[in-house]
Amino acid sequence: MSSFENVFGTTPDGSWRAPGRVNLIGEHTDYNDGLVLPIALPNRIVVTASKRDDGRIAVASAGHKGVTEFAIEDLAPGSVGDWAAYPAGAAWILRESGYPIGGANLHFESDIPSGAGLSSSAALLCATLVALLGLRDIEVDPAEVARLAQKAENKYVGAPVGLMDQMASMCCTEGHALYFDIRAMSTEQIPFNPAADNLALLVVDVKAPHRHVDGEYAARRKSCEQAAAELGVPALRSIAFEDLDDALARLSDDVVRRRVRHVVTEIRRVEDAVALMHAGKLREVGPLFTASHVSLRDDFEITVPELDVAVDTALEAGALGARMTGGGFGGCIIALVEADASESVLAAIEKAFAEHGFSTPSALAAAPSAGASRLS
């Protein structure tokens, strides 16, 4: 008997999956109308589901005790808390958008490490959305599902996230990175196959969980919006790299100035990385990773000692480049390494963490994977 049948006492109608993501480069650029370059991970959230006709949704998870149940018509921001706020938010945004989803029983299982900066929250929302829509055979463009997921996280959960995580979870394809231009709302699949070049992308969870809803993320976003207003542009994407020095000279606050410098230079790094990937020069992307980390550490100030030690150690151990990835204040680093060096680089990081008294880190395989889909 499946976990779903154990909880709900009925046979499921189907199951759906949505992956986590890791961003190769382009950090904190998404809400500035910028450029990002994520890949979807093999790690995913799976939703097993059955239809109900009473307008109610019941949610259960392998990682949490009990069942949370609510009426779709009663949903309002704040009406459902804890982890269940995410599936509740998905149901709420579908109701608000006019989709006739009816009721459902939903059971969730995940192998995405929570709090690691690999976008388990966006995956949870996307998985719920594709399951609720799939149960009723409602076809919606993947990019629109991503936008619905973002709205749910912004307006229901209360997290001021951009659109990158949801687009990665919905729109990535196997063997590619997703080049996403937020201002143009356009995407391009960029071939990304490190193994073909005898390389590997090492993802190391530093075990210092980050929290997107806390004040630091919101403060960075507010600083960027303040700078755009002071410079008279709709978003920092409008500041050309060539005009950066002039823009910085017009800003009155040094902290805001550093935030702007990160965003504008990070957007240029994304462009450079894509050009190198198109040219088949993947090894040369490594230094861009490292430059991104320095900018995130010094100008955006969102790293923590675990992230900095992991990056510095990876580079000392021979990585071609390394950077923190995700929202910051914990989470993961990525390191571009020679294929046969993954174990030695990880071992060096483990040794350095032990010497610093940090928690033992863990590594994930980072094969570029496909976005959300139906499993059965």
Side-chain angles (χ1 to χ4, degrees):
M1 184 178 291
S2 69
S3 298
F4 179 92
E5 292 168 312
N6 278 331
V7 172
F8 294 111
T10 184
T11 303
D13 294 319
S15 61
W16 291 259
R17 57 171 284 281
R21 66 94 187 95
V22 66
N23 190 25
L24 297 181
I25 198 161
E27 222 63 79
H28 286 267
T29 56
D30 57 346
Y31 54 79
N32 289 293
D33 282 356
L35 305 169
V36 293
L37 192 66
I39 61 171
L41 293 169
N43 304 73
R44 61 192 186 169
I45 289 176
V46 175
V47 185
T48 307
S50 67
K51 291 190 289 285
R52 291 172 59 151
D53 297 316
D54 58 358
R56 298 183 67 81
I57 290 179
V59 299
S61 165
H64 300 85
K65 291 182 179 179
V67 177
T68 301
E69 189 169 321
F70 46 83
I72 297 172
E73 66 178 17
D74 294 339
L75 288 172
S79 60
V80 177
D82 198 25
W83 77 273
Y86 290 87
W92 173 79
I93 196 62
L94 288 174
R95 185 199 74 190
E96 293 294 287
S97 303
Y99 291 101
I101 58 169
N105 293 321
L106 305 173
H107 185 272
F108 297 83
E109 296 184 70
S110 174
D111 64 358
I112 304 171
S114 180
L118 301 176
S119 198
S120 57
S121 59
L124 180 53
L125 280 162
C126 291
T128 307
L129 288 167
V130 295
L132 290 173
L133 292 166
L135 282 172
R136 306 292 169 172
D137 296 319
I138 301 170
E139 293 189 10
V140 180
D141 181 76
E144 176 59 22
V145 176
R147 283 188 284 268
L148 291 169
Q150 183 201 18
K151 288 178 183 177
E153 193 157 4
N154 288 168
K155 297 179 180 180
Y156 192 93
V157 179
V161 297
L163 186 57
M164 173 185 67
D165 297 349
Q166 302 84 356
M167 285 292 288
S169 191
M170 290 302 306
C171 300
C172 279
T173 60
E174 185 176 355
H176 294 81
L178 184 73
Y179 184 33
F180 177 31
D181 182 331
I182 285 83
R183 184 171 63 184
M185 282 302 294
S186 63
T187 61
E188 181 185 351
Q189 301 291 341
I190 307 298
F192 179 69
N193 183 11
D197 286 324
N198 292 314
L199 297 172
L201 186 72
L202 188 64
V203 180
V204 181
D205 181 357
V206 302
K207 304 296 185 180
H210 76 303
R211 295 166 181 82
H212 264 184
V213 190
D214 73 10
E216 293 290 350
Y217 183 99
R220 296 306 182 281
R221 186 164 186 163
K222 185 177 180 181
S223 291
C224 293
E225 291 167 352
Q226 174 188 336
E230 192 172 343
L231 292 167
V233 294
L236 294 183
R237 170 70 180 282
S238 299
I239 306 299
F241 179 79
E242 293 75 16
D243 298 332
L244 176 58
D245 289 343
D246 177 64
L248 295 179
R250 292 162 53 199
L251 293 168
S252 56
D253 183 85
D254 185 59
V255 172
V256 172
R257 197 176 291 122
R258 284 185 280 119
R259 305 295 186 253
V260 171
R261 185 166 56 207
H262 165 72
V263 172
V264 176
T265 59
E266 185 79 347
I267 290 170
R268 170 55 68 92
R269 283 186 285 271
V270 177
E271 294 173 326
D272 291 346
V274 169
L276 288 168
M277 289 179 186
H278 274 311
K281 299 177 179 179
L282 188 53
R283 279 178 171 78
E284 295 181 31
V285 175
L288 295 173
F289 285 4
T290 305
S292 173
H293 183 81
V294 171
S295 181
L296 289 160
R297 182 192 67 204
D298 298 344
D299 279 346
F300 225 64
E301 298 180 289
I302 60 170
T303 69
V304 293
E306 290 92 336
L307 292 169
D308 294 333
V309 168
V311 165
D312 291 345
T313 304
L315 294 170
E316 291 167 5
L320 300 173
R323 61 181 291 270
M324 62 142 281
T325 184
F329 308 104
C332 289
I333 72 152
I334 58 172
L336 187 65
V337 301
E338 300 292 346
D340 59 2
S342 293
E343 290 185 8
S344 60
V345 171
L346 179 60
I349 295 172
E350 290 173 342
K351 182 174 182 290
F353 271 41
E355 291 171 352
H356 282 81
F358 298 155
S359 298
T360 303
S362 63
L364 300 172
S369 301
S373 64
R374 183 165 188 161
L375 290 173
S376 64

